[in-house]
Amino acid sequence: MPRALPNAPNGYTPESIDCPSNRPTIRDAGDLSDSEKSWLKTRLGKTVDPMRDLLQRINIPNFNAQKYIEDNGRNRSALPNIAIAMSGGGYRALLNGAGAIAAFDSREENATSPGHLGGLLQSATYLSGLSGGGWLVGSLFVNNFTTVSALLNHPSHTVWQFDQSIAEGPDKGSIQLLDTASYFKTIEDQVSDKRDAGFNRSVTDYWGRALSFQLINATDGGPSYTWSSIALETNFAQANTPFPVLVADERAPGELLFSGNTTVFEFNPFEFGTWDPDTFGFVPLEFLGSKFSNGELAPGVPCVRGFDNAGYIMGTSSSLFNQFLLNLNTTSIPNLAKTFISKILTAIGQDNNDIADYSPNPFYGYHNSTNRNAQSSRLTLVDGGEDLQNIPLHPLIQPNRHVDVIFAVDSSADTDNFWPNGTSLVATYQRNLNSTGIGNGTSFPAIPDTNTFVNLGLNTRPTFFGCNSSNTSSISPLIVYIPNAPYTFQSNFSTFTASYNTSARNAIVRNGYEGATMGNATIDPQWPVCVGCAILSRSLERTETEVPEACERCFQRYCWDGRTNGTRPRLYEPEFKGSAVPVSGSAVLRGNAIAAAVFAAVVGLMVMYRLANMACLLIQGTQVDLPFELIQGISQQWQGALNVAEGSWYIMNVVAGFPDSPEYLASEVDNASNVCYDSEHRKSFDSAH
């Protein structure tokens, strides 16, 4: 399998080099980079033919797709601009998202047959991911934008072999204990070399290296593969692929995030930076790790290359999984792994346990009046979903990118038993409405509350949001929301499930394929037509073309109609929409699910205690009511952690037969609620919530 270029000068270790004659600088985020603009000119042209082919196969009644494309083809901005977003959610999100990507990829077998949607990927301009969705996007691109099938069926079994836990390492054919020892020694040596070169290290270094063995190259973890090398890879350079973007949030160790206060950063093949109005700048990704000050490199300061290791960036976008590494003592893994993790945690200190360190801060001294981190030499990032925006929509709703429609694949675990309920869409909508101006000119359609999602079944099937563009102050993209649901397999594994046998892995991918195509149009024969209508919607408005009757019917069927039902729903337990596929190794799966449930429950309670302690400091430090947005942010994260804990204990109780689990959970939640109780002000976290 061909891969991106291993162009780091010294493996995993960043290294100083002579700067190019045109020394790199930080640019203002007022527009797209020149590199992205140049690439887009080619890419937009290359999406025309696959879009025409897709729309012709879809065959919208009484609409001549070929004539429409030809009539408007000279003005490419008149035609649709498509994006795809893959949510976080660990291996569940990677695999469910992989099914959707396979469904959209015309290179996959049968993907262009009637009822299928192959060609949508080739018609897309942007592809974003975070956490598990970021692993998917990264693995595809670092492996030369290969197909999902190629990653699943690679003959040498060097990628996507998830039957071996990340805590055990790849099976190299010898005694597993020896393989595991070699695996951990390789990771330790690579990260130690980075430290010895003068760069800070964090748990994310180890997590990113471990991920690389599964996603890039099982031989040595691909230490020389960088995210910026994607720009040099032939398929991307010739604009034969969408534009890949990963997302992370800025956060100091221990800081509380919610969608209204978070600076969202993106990694693309050319740059790293943020559109948000506080920092509002981008650095050339290739030279990340260089010591910028006031937006430039001082004379004599060398350039650094190799900091943007592909695995490190994928690990950054999923640093919530650092909690997996930090809590390995609660899981049944080899003692060797536990010893290794204990050693590195002792070495780096607990303060660095939940962040990725991007020191030296490239935005040091940049936009001093607005950038809250301008005087810090350290920039620390975390999982892009920590602010609840678990679908990476932020890069795709930037006005300069002019995206018309976003296919948002949601593999989140929002409900008690790990299905999505629209939380991520709600968070992005609330951020867009934030009075602080953090949205910075972005526009997003109205989204109902999460109870409405469940009560009206909006999380059981695809739903369109923003069908009437006149309802927003500026035109927003149409959102095609595709939630994970049981079509052929119960794919609602915990985010922290660490391994999947091949049968389960393939079943989750197939379920994702079925969800994207609605059972290859067997559940709704009109679904492909409705996808075509969603693609064309904003373009039809721009060209003042009459909307076909078939599209009007589709919008009536799939557009959210504005109704709400905010009553608390019963436990969400969706039924199969199709025929269940047989899966082998059920006992192994059951054991993994139970172990993951125990771990996830502990993590959920840990997060609740952390939130309670933060709220304690806030409450005791003020005699006035807390700001609504802060209370709302704490409340949302508390509820998310409670959902994880409740769902995990539900599995332990019902599946594993631990009868005392609900009572124990209730007592622990009560303890967390009362961590803070100020006798003077008579306030507690529970009352603030």
Side-chain angles (χ1 to χ4, degrees), residues 203 253-254 326 341-342 344-355:
V203 178
L326 295 170
I341 298 302
S342 176
I344 65 174
L345 288 178
T346 301
I348 67 176
Q350 293 294 322
D351 286 345
N352 291 334
N353 64 17
D354 62 348
I355 53 89

Side-chain angles (χ1 to χ4, degrees), residues 20-304:
S21 56
N22 185 18
R23 291 172 68 82
T25 60
I26 309 297
R27 75 166 182 90
D28 188 275
D31 200 354
L32 300 179
S33 69
D34 290 340
S35 296
E36 185 173 345
K37 287 180 183 177
S38 175
W39 181 91
L40 275 174
K41 288 180 181 178
T42 305
R43 178 59 184 170
L44 289 172
K46 289 196 171 184
T47 62
V48 174
D49 287 343
M51 191 183 307
R52 178 194 295 113
D53 293 343
L54 173 62
L55 291 173
Q56 284 183 307
R57 290 197 310 274
I58 286 173
N59 192 22
I60 300 172
N62 300 315
F63 179 79
N64 189 328
Q66 180 169 343
K67 184 176 187 302
Y68 183 80
I69 296 293
E70 290 175 351
D71 288 349
N72 295 284
R74 293 184 179 180
N75 178 14
R76 179 57 185 84
S77 62
L79 295 179
N81 188 10
I82 302 169
I84 302 170
M86 312 306 294
S87 85
Y91 295 101
R92 179 192 64 249
L94 182 155
L95 296 172
N96 182 67
I101 290 293
F104 298 156
D105 190 347
S106 61
R107 299 171 296 175
E108 296 283 4
E109 186 177 1
N110 296 324
T112 57
S113 301
H116 296 246
L117 296 174
L120 181 57
L121 181 64
Q122 284 69 27
S123 304
T125 307
Y126 292 97
L127 175 61
S128 65
L130 67 79
S131 192
W135 307 348
L136 168 63
V137 173
S139 192
L140 289 170
F141 275 87
V142 176
N143 290 292
N144 196 27
F145 195 61
T146 188
T147 64
V148 167
S149 292
L151 291 169
L152 290 171
N153 303 310
H154 191 261
S156 64
H157 305 291
T158 56
V159 287
W160 286 31
Q161 300 307 303
F162 302 133
D163 51 335
Q164 292 289 118
S165 165
I166 201 167
E168 297 176 283
D171 182 0
K172 296 184 178 180
S174 63
I175 299 172
Q176 184 59 51
L177 182 63
L178 298 179
D179 288 344
T180 300
S182 173
Y183 165 71
F184 281 126
K185 184 179 186 304
T186 298
I187 292 173
E188 170 64 19
D189 289 347
Q190 292 170 349
V191 177
S192 294
D193 288 345
K194 178 179 178 179
R195 175 205 59 199
D196 294 344
F199 294 90
N200 293 349
R201 61 176 176 170
S202 66
V203 178
T204 303
D205 283 287
Y206 298 93
W207 175 246
R209 296 311 309 128
L211 280 175
S212 298
F213 279 83
Q214 293 185 326
L215 304 179
I216 300 175
N217 185 333
T219 303
D220 63 356
S224 296
Y225 292 94
T226 62
W227 195 257
S228 58
S229 75
I230 293 172
L232 305 176
E233 189 272 317
T234 302
N235 255 336
F236 177 83
Q238 295 179 353
N240 294 325
T241 77
F243 191 83
V245 184
L246 298 195
V247 172
D249 293 338
E250 180 181 4
R251 178 170 71 72
E255 182 185 8
L256 173 66
L257 294 186
F258 58 97
S259 58
N261 78 340
T262 308
T263 301
V264 180
F265 281 82
E266 73 169 56
F267 300 88
N268 65 58
F270 301 125
E271 295 182 305
F272 162 73
T274 177
W275 304 96
D276 289 350
D278 45 6
T279 304
F280 200 60
F282 284 86
V283 60
L285 183 63
E286 181 182 5
F287 299 111
L288 195 61
S290 305
K291 197 171 183 178
F292 290 89
S293 180
N294 300 312
E296 58 186 26
L297 293 174
V301 174
C303 288
V304 169

Side-chain angles (χ1 to χ4, degrees), residues 416-436:
D416 290 347
N417 47 6
F418 311 134
W419 297 106
N421 69 1
T423 292
S424 53
L425 293 187
V426 173
T428 300
Y429 175 55
Q430 290 177 341
R431 188 180 201 268
N432 188 65
L433 297 178
N434 191 284
S435 59
T436 64

Side-chain angles (χ1 to χ4, degrees), residues 252-555:
E255 182 185 8
L256 173 66
L257 294 186
F258 58 97
S259 58
N261 78 340
T262 308
T263 301
V264 180
F265 281 82
E266 73 169 56
F267 300 88
N268 65 58
F270 301 125
E271 295 182 305
F272 162 73
T274 177
W275 304 96
D276 289 350
D278 45 6
T279 304
F280 200 60
F282 284 86
V283 60
L285 183 63
E286 181 182 5
F287 299 111
L288 195 61
S290 305
K291 197 171 183 178
F292 290 89
S293 180
N294 300 312
E296 58 186 26
L297 293 174
V301 174
C303 288
V304 169
R305 287 188 58 243
F307 191 100
D308 65 314
N309 176 268
Y312 187 62
I313 288 176
M314 287 188 279
T316 297
S317 186
S318 59
S319 59
L320 175 63
F321 278 78
N322 291 346
Q323 297 297 328
F324 175 80
L325 295 180
L326 295 170
N327 292 276
L328 284 180
N329 284 330
T330 67
T331 61
S332 56
I333 64 163
N335 287 329
L336 180 65
K338 296 178 183 178
T339 301
F340 172 75
I341 298 302
S342 176
K343 176 183 175 182
I344 65 174
L345 288 178
T346 301
I348 67 176
Q350 293 294 322
D351 286 345
N352 291 334
N353 64 17
D354 62 348
I355 53 89
D357 202 321
Y358 278 77
S359 304
N361 176 14
F363 302 103
Y364 179 79
Y366 187 73
H367 286 168
N368 287 293
S369 62
T370 57
N371 180 6
R372 62 178 178 172
N373 205 33
Q375 298 308 307
S376 173
S377 62
R378 193 179 186 207
L379 176 64
T380 54
L381 304 178
V382 295
D383 190 304
E386 278 207 23
D387 64 352
L388 302 182
Q389 296 187 95
N390 200 39
I391 304 176
L393 298 166
H394 184 266
L396 309 179
I397 62 175
Q398 296 305 317
N400 289 323
R401 284 182 168 146
H402 304 290
V403 171
D404 291 320
V405 57
I406 303 172
F407 288 83
V409 179
D410 192 1
S411 308
S412 303
D414 302 322
T415 69
D416 290 347
N417 47 6
F418 311 134
W419 297 106
N421 69 1
T423 292
S424 53
L425 293 187
V426 173
T428 300
Y429 175 55
Q430 290 177 341
R431 188 180 201 268
N432 188 65
L433 297 178
N434 191 284
S435 59
T436 64
I438 192 73
N440 201 31
T442 57
S443 183
F444 198 74
I447 303 294
D449 63 277
T450 57
N451 287 344
T452 293
F453 266 84
V454 177
N455 289 328
L456 300 187
L458 305 181
N459 65 332
T460 65
R461 61 171 180 80
T463 303
F464 300 170
F465 295 96
C467 294
N468 187 347
S469 64
S470 64
N471 286 342
T472 54
S473 56
S474 58
I475 295 179
S476 66
L478 177 69
I479 307 298
V480 178
Y481 179 65
I482 303 176
N484 183 27
Y487 285 80
T488 56
F489 186 62
Q490 292 281 356
S491 57
N492 56 324
F493 288 87
S494 164
T495 301
F496 298 102
T497 298
S499 62
Y500 295 84
N501 64 32
T502 300
S503 181
R505 180 198 67 174
N506 294 347
I508 298 174
V509 173
R510 176 174 172 181
N511 188 73
Y513 193 112
E514 299 287 325
T517 61
M518 293 201 74
N520 304 321
T522 59
I523 295 173
D524 179 5
Q526 294 305 306
W527 173 238
V529 169
C530 294
V531 168
C533 294
I535 291 171
L536 288 165
S537 178
R538 296 293 190 258
S539 176
L540 295 175
E541 291 181 11
R542 279 197 300 276
T543 58
E544 298 182 344
T545 301
E546 183 178 359
V547 177
E549 289 186 12
C551 290
E552 295 283 11
R553 290 193 294 271
C554 282
F555 295 147

